[in-house]
Amino acid sequence: MNSPMSEALLLHSTAAGLDAQRAKLPQVSAPFRLPNPISVASQIAELGGSIITMGDEYLFHAGAVAPQEHTVHTAEALASAIGSVAQAASALGTVAQQIAFVARTAGKRGDAGYEDAHTVAGQMIEFAVETARDDLAEAAQTLRTAASAVSPPAVKVQRAALARSPGAPAPTPTAIAVPATAAIQRAPARSR
């Protein structure tokens, strides 16, 4: 059975992967440029891969015999994140559809309604990309919240102390891998 520490690491790692995917979304700020269709397709495929990976983890956790509380928390967070990532993939599907529409109608410049249709397509692309960005941020936050809930008490105390320390770097998923007692022993004494 997985330990609370390994569950927290899994959730943080998965959240970091979603953050990386969110960072690769096309920029839709002014001036607007049509996203590269190959890049959008690649991102849809990556999100599909993330859904499969999280689905496998969910299956493992949900299928546990006599699961512990941290296992149930992890399964619940994964299920919620899967829904958000699926919504992000759907939003990128809308982006791909609008890019295809623009490509298909490129030769109709000058026709009645051409400019309006392309303006609407651009607005739909912008909205869909921002929706995907929000959905991925929500999924990552859900996973981080669950990781905090399942973290062993010593890790929670260490994170709280670090958060209160002025100038302390933000905790990272790899920082969790160090046992709390070892990290406390290695931490230099701070003078006020």
Side-chain angles (χ1 to χ4, degrees):
M1 184 57 58
N2 285 349
S3 68
M5 180 66 78
S6 65
E7 301 286 13
L9 287 171
L10 167 72
L11 293 168
H12 276 293
S13 172
T14 305
L18 295 178
D19 286 340
Q21 288 178 316
R22 184 167 43 99
K24 291 192 279 184
L25 290 174
Q27 296 301 318
V28 291
S29 56
F32 176 75
R33 287 182 31 188
L34 201 62
N36 179 315
I38 302 301
S39 174
V40 171
S42 175
Q43 289 174 313
I44 293 170
E46 284 182 36
L47 291 177
S50 293
I51 291 169
I52 290 170
T53 300
M54 288 188 295
D56 289 344
E57 286 294 337
Y58 173 78
L59 178 62
F60 172 75
H61 289 83
V65 177
Q68 295 180 352
E69 185 176 350
H70 61 86
T71 304
V72 175
H73 265 308
T74 300
E76 183 180 17
L78 288 166
S80 179
I82 288 167
S84 294
V85 174
Q87 290 174 334
S90 176
L92 289 182
T94 298
V95 172
Q97 182 183 21
Q98 293 305 311
I99 291 171
F101 167 78
V102 169
R104 182 172 47 82
T105 59
K108 297 184 179 188
R109 190 177 304 268
D111 287 2
Y114 172 87
E115 292 298 326
D116 288 342
H118 281 241
T119 298
V120 169
Q123 291 169 344
M124 288 179 72
I125 288 170
E126 289 180 37
F127 181 76
V129 168
E130 290 308 313
T131 298
R133 195 177 314 282
D134 291 346
D135 289 334
L136 291 175
E138 181 180 329
Q141 184 57 45
T142 297
L143 295 172
R144 285 192 178 90
T145 300
S148 293
V150 302
S151 290
V155 173
K156 291 177 186 177
V157 170
Q158 178 188 13
R159 285 180 159 238
L162 285 173
R164 289 190 303 271
S165 300
T172 61
T174 55
I176 296 171
V178 177
T181 54
I184 292 169
Q185 290 170 354
R186 287 196 305 251
R190 295 185 191 259
S191 59
R192 293 207 180 246

